[in-house]
């Protein structure tokens, strides 16, 4: 559910803002309800030369993990603009063949949408351009390697993990997904 | 990752507390990092007479959804005490045959653990005792119905959804899980 229109912002954080509102309960009493808001993010399934580009990442407060490319939406950006910027910054890559795949809201009490994009036929156009809080090495993996990575413990991005688990249970949908990424 | 010991609580909410700390970046500069803390919760896979008890729930700010029984840990409670209390309050049920199944941290930037329990051989011992913000109808489903429910769109509890998706991909583990719940 979205944050109700009558909710008030009671805290502004670095990542998370907190909203509260008075909610009428089933017995007519009232309680203070709470939800969070954070910037939306994008996930990019980037395809280059028949492989998928994944990111081995280190962040200052975390051990090494693997994910797809992506990041937070800046103020005023569309999700597609964010995806193009992050593909360039994190991967040094650009694509002219984008497709929005799905939108996921990972956590009920948080106004946060993850926009998942496919970027086919990626080309290297520049070097990476990382923030001080990022160490990212990109790596090209096969479609099957990608499926295994996405459901491994070390993979960050539960929305991608759940999507891949569901695809693995339905061979027809998995084949459609493979074609969507890799062509025939 | 846990919240670092040097982090300071900067906001105390109804559900969410916000912590911040100064994090050294890879280039030696410093940035303010942020994490959330919320009460841990329990999920109970309750078994009664060869069926699993699920909860059809309404909350004042949400449409109808289905989940397992469970809820938030009160201050000073162990996870097992929470599970026993919630089974009683939400289901009117008690069990003498508990087994901790797993612990899940659903969201990286939040100090929040979900403790998943199995409660076998549940017995009705009292009527439900619900909060003003709860409308819960319990329902007994077969093991296969439970698996299908857990991966349906209307099910709340992504940790249970992901667990069931993984089990469905490994028939041996699924059979072990079935025996764990239902006996031979």
């Amino acid at each position: 559910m979205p944050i109700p229109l009558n909710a008030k912002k009671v805290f502004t954080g670095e990542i998370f803002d907190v909203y509260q509102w008075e909610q009428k309960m089933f017995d007519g009493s009232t309680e203070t309800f709470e939800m969070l808001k954070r910037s939306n993010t994008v996930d990019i399934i980037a395809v280059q030369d028949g492989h998928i580009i994944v990111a081995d990442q280190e962040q200052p407060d975390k051990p090494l993990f693997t994910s797809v490319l992506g990041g937070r939406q800046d103020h005023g950006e569309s999700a597609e603009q964010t995806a193009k910027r992050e593909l360039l910054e994190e991967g040094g890559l650009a694509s002219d063949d984008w497709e929005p795949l799905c939108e996921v809201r990972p956590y009920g009490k948080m106004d946060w949408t993850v926009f998942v994009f496919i970027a086919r036929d990626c080309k290297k156009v520049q070097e990476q351009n990382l923030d001080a809080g990022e160490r990212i090495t990109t790596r090209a993996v096969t479609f099957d390697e990608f499926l295994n990575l996405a459901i491994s413990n070390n993979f960050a991005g539960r929305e991608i993990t759940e999507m891949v688990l569901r695809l693995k249970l339905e061979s027809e949908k998995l084949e459609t997904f493979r074609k969507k990424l890799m062509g025939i």
Side-chain angles (χ1 to χ4, degrees), chain A residues 40 45 83 97 101 108 137 148 162:
Chain A
N40 293 332
I45 303 176
D97 190 1
L101 184 64
T137 311
N148 287 333
E162 187 178 323

Side-chain angles (χ1 to χ4, degrees), chain A residues 139-152:
Chain A
R139 175 159 57 106
V141 299
T142 65
F143 181 72
D144 286 338
E145 284 168 345
F146 172 70
L147 297 182
N148 287 333
L149 258 180
I151 66 172
S152 71

Side-chain angles (χ1 to χ4, degrees), chain A residues 13-43:
Chain A
E14 296 290 324
I15 302 174
F16 301 103
D17 298 338
V18 184
Y19 287 77
Q20 292 182 343
W21 69 96
E22 294 307 302
Q23 177 70 50
K24 194 123 180 223
M25 308 304 275
F26 292 126
D27 64 357
S29 65
T30 298
E31 286 184 22
T32 304
F33 270 37
E34 192 168 84
M35 268 182 73
L36 301 163
K37 188 174 174 60
R38 60 161 290 174
S39 297
N40 293 332
T41 53
V42 303
D43 285 346

Side-chain angles (χ1 to χ4, degrees), chain A residues 61-128:
Chain A
D61 63 332
K62 274 187 208 165
L64 201 69
F65 62 94
T66 302
S67 72
V68 295
L69 299 172
R72 283 182 220 165
Q73 204 165 11
D74 283 343
H75 192 73
E77 266 183 343
S78 70
E80 193 174 328
Q81 286 168 335
T82 308
K84 289 182 175 172
R85 178 178 53 72
E86 292 286 356
L87 183 67
L88 200 61
E89 288 177 4
E90 294 193 341
L93 297 168
S95 164
D96 289 325
D97 190 1
W98 287 88
E99 183 177 336
L101 184 64
C102 60
E103 296 176 15
V104 186
R105 282 182 61 109
Y107 184 65
K109 290 186 194 302
M110 200 184 291
D111 184 344
W112 169 38
T113 299
V114 183
F115 298 90
V116 184
F117 287 91
I118 296 171
R120 279 177 290 252
D121 197 20
C122 290
K123 308 252 188 261
K124 184 89 180 174
V125 292
Q126 65 171 49
E127 291 309 304
Q128 277 182 327

Side-chain angles (χ1 to χ4, degrees), chain A residues 156-171:
Chain A
R158 294 189 98 85
E159 62 287 351
I160 301 286
T161 302
E162 187 178 323
M163 183 184 74
V164 168
L165 286 169
R166 289 183 186 275
L167 287 170
K168 275 171 135 346
L169 284 169
E170 296 196 62
S171 56

